C-alpha cells in the first residue's frame, strides 16, 4: 500500500479518510490556484513557473497542453 499526503482545500470538511493509517494531512499556506487559472495563464502565454513543479511545467510545455 502507498502512503498518501493530502493538501486540504480551504472548503474541505471532515472526510472518511481523516483517520486512515495511510493518509496524512499536512498544513501549508493556502494558495488560490486552480487548474482553470493555470490553463488561462498558459493560453495567455504567461508564466506558471512558481505555480507548479518544474517537471509539471516541462511536461505541459513539451506536450503543448492548453495551447
Amino acid at each position: 500500500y502507498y502512503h498518501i499526503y493530502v493538501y486540504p482545500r480551504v472548503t474541505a470538511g471532515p472526510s472518511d479518510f481523516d483517520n486512515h493509517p495511510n493518509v496524512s494531512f499536512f498544513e501549508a499556506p493556502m494558495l488560490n490556484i486552480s487548474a482553470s487559472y493555470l490553463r488561462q495563464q498558459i493560453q495567455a502565454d504567461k508564466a506558471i513557473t512558481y505555480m507548479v513543479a518544474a517537471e509539471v511545467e516541462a511536461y505541459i510545455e513539451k506536450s503543448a497542453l492548453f495551447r
Side-chain angles (χ1 to χ4, degrees):
Y1 296 110
Y2 295 97
H3 198 86
I4 299 172
Y5 293 89
V6 178
Y7 180 86
R9 293 179 181 232
V10 175
T11 58
S15 166
D16 292 339
F17 298 102
D18 286 347
N19 296 312
H20 193 284
N22 290 340
V23 177
S24 293
F25 292 84
F26 64 96
E27 292 189 29
M30 294 292 179
L31 303 174
N32 192 15
I33 300 174
S34 67
S36 297
Y37 178 75
L38 292 173
R39 285 191 294 273
Q40 290 170 356
Q41 292 298 102
I42 293 165
Q43 290 167 352
D45 203 30
K46 295 184 179 178
I48 60 167
T49 302
Y50 300 107
M51 298 178 214
V52 297
E55 297 85 359
V56 172
E57 184 178 18
Y59 177 81
I60 290 170
E61 187 172 317
K62 177 182 174 189
S63 303
L65 296 176
F66 315 120
R67 297 264 177 204

